[in-house]
Amino acid sequence: MTGTGFGNAPDVVDVVALGESMVALRPTGPGRLADAPSFDRGIGGAESNVVCALAAAGHPARWVSRVGADGFGDHLVETVGSYGVDVSRVRRDPDRPTGVYFRTAADRAGDDHEVAYYRAGSAASAMSADTVDLDAVTACRVLHLTGITAALSATCLGLLRELTARRPGRPLVSFDVNHRPRLWKDGNSPRVLLELARGADLVFVGEDEAADVWGLDGVDAVRRALPGPEVLVVKQGARGATLLDRERVLHVPAPRVDVVAAVGAGDAFAAGFLSATLRGLPPRDRLRHGHLAAAAALTVPGDLATPPSRHHADRLAALDDNAWGRLRLGPGRTQAPAAPEEAPTP
């Protein structure tokens, strides 16, 4: 894989995430989009969510993407950069706009939730091996990708195939399946997502997602379909998550959470797990750090939440099984100096 000549050689960082982020507009009050008189502005993007959380947790991180040469592109670059993320390799497209979407304030799982995407023909959909800085993409310990990018265009899919091709010297490739049915118009998502996941080193997939996309029932069936990745993490909602590697099958339950909004948890889980992986923590603690980061996202209204401090998260992750089982997290508790649910550990 060769670079594309976009400037000086990039610094090697802990994590690079490549993918589209959009400006998100949410009504200031409840009700239909048709009735909303005003909107609050934010950002939304699975990959940028992950890299922002990792940067907030103290990891050198880079986001690689394309945005329009417009005000929305300015907002995205400035917002992601404000988390401490390196955005110097985000390219501006003078001919294509930054993607935008609108969503209601209601829970995404509810029947009254609406979302309207304006991303067709976006600057990010023009990503390819020729329009991104491949040296900057691969100058990292972990490269994080998702299945969303593969659905944006043929050139985006070609780029992901290039990045998930197994070759010597590549960084650890992390892939979150992140199936978005509305983006796949051709019915090829099961085949394409399976191909990309098989090329990764670390795969995140929801148990229900694997059933919907591939018709697979349970973690063992998912592992049989994905024998290549060194580590497979099957997310199981409120029940927890299961890690499968060459040595073990390990299930870690999730703590109880007082949910404010069921958004952003999957991206936060990936960020927490990747942070613990980069730090060389054992598998149980990687899953626990994923759960703690997901809890932080579930207890705020938006997609992005400040992760628990490393010291606090380490203390909670070290709880014995009984104390972990009693743990309950609500708004603000992931930031507390000590949680009342904590118990002394041996």
Side-chain angles (χ1 to χ4, degrees):
M1 184 182 300
T2 59
T4 48
F6 284 107
N8 297 330
D11 294 333
V12 176
V13 295
D14 277 357
V15 182
V16 168
L18 177 143
E20 180 174 34
S21 189
M22 295 176 290
V23 168
L25 296 165
R26 186 175 64 175
T28 53
R32 304 184 307 159
L33 288 177
D35 302 325
S38 60
F39 295 82
D40 287 328
R41 183 183 63 177
I43 69 170
E47 300 86 1
S48 59
N49 286 348
V50 170
V51 80
C52 285
L54 281 162
H59 294 278
R62 177 181 299 125
W63 176 49
V64 178
S65 188
R66 291 175 65 84
V67 300
D70 49 34
F72 285 146
D74 293 341
H75 177 63
L76 280 174
V77 173
E78 291 166 5
T79 302
V80 174
S82 71
Y83 284 84
V85 176
D86 173 13
V87 293
S88 64
R89 261 54 181 192
V90 177
R91 301 300 164 201
R92 310 304 293 263
D93 191 320
D95 301 316
R96 297 176 179 85
T98 302
V100 178
Y101 74 99
F102 296 77
R103 69 176 178 88
T104 52
D107 190 323
R108 291 180 185 177
D111 293 336
D112 56 347
H113 177 66
E114 297 175 74
V115 61
Y117 288 102
Y118 298 89
R119 74 194 307 177
S122 69
S125 71
M127 287 190 296
S128 72
D130 296 322
T131 61
V132 301
D133 186 344
L134 293 180
D135 288 338
V137 172
T138 56
C140 58
R141 296 171 61 194
V142 174
L143 171 60
H144 183 69
L145 308 168
T146 83
I148 296 171
T149 305
L152 298 182
S153 68
T155 61
C156 284
L157 173 55
L159 175 59
L160 258 64
R161 282 176 166 152
E162 173 80 4
L163 295 173
T164 55
R166 295 191 179 275
R167 54 169 54 89
R170 77 174 191 180
L172 184 149
V173 175
S174 164
F175 182 74
D176 192 333
V177 173
N178 246 328
H179 182 233
R180 297 290 187 268
R182 292 178 58 173
L183 292 177
W184 294 91
K185 307 299 185 184
D186 55 11
N188 287 333
S189 60
R191 176 184 57 81
V192 170
L193 292 173
L194 191 64
E195 171 198 342
L196 296 173
R198 285 174 172 170
D201 303 300
L202 164 60
V203 173
F204 298 98
V205 64
E207 189 172 42
D208 55 349
E209 184 178 43
D212 291 342
V213 181
W214 299 315
L216 300 174
D217 184 16
V219 296
D220 292 336
V222 180
R223 188 48 158 169
R224 286 193 296 271
L226 293 171
E230 288 293 322
V231 178
L232 172 64
V233 178
V234 181
K235 298 174 290 183
Q236 297 163 297
R239 290 186 291 125
T242 299
L243 177 149
L244 303 94
D245 62 17
R246 304 302 183 205
E247 301 175 3
R248 64 183 66 80
V249 176
L250 174 66
H251 175 80
V252 172
R256 290 169 294 169
V257 179
D258 297 328
V259 176
V260 172
V263 295
D267 300 332
F269 180 94
F273 187 94
L274 289 173
S275 176
T277 299
L278 286 160
R279 295 170 58 203
L281 300 185
R284 186 205 69 170
D285 290 1
R286 297 180 191 188
L287 290 170
R288 286 188 172 186
H289 276 272
H291 289 320
L292 292 168
L298 290 169
T299 52
V300 297
D303 287 20
L304 276 168
T306 302
S309 70
R310 183 173 292 186
H311 176 69
H312 184 51
D314 283 344
R315 187 166 56 242
L316 292 179
L319 293 172
D320 63 38
D321 289 345
N322 288 333
W324 178 262
R326 295 194 301 270
L327 191 62
R328 181 168 184 166
L329 299 170
R333 291 193 181 181
T334 54
Q335 300 304 310
E341 297 84 354
E342 287 187 52
T345 55

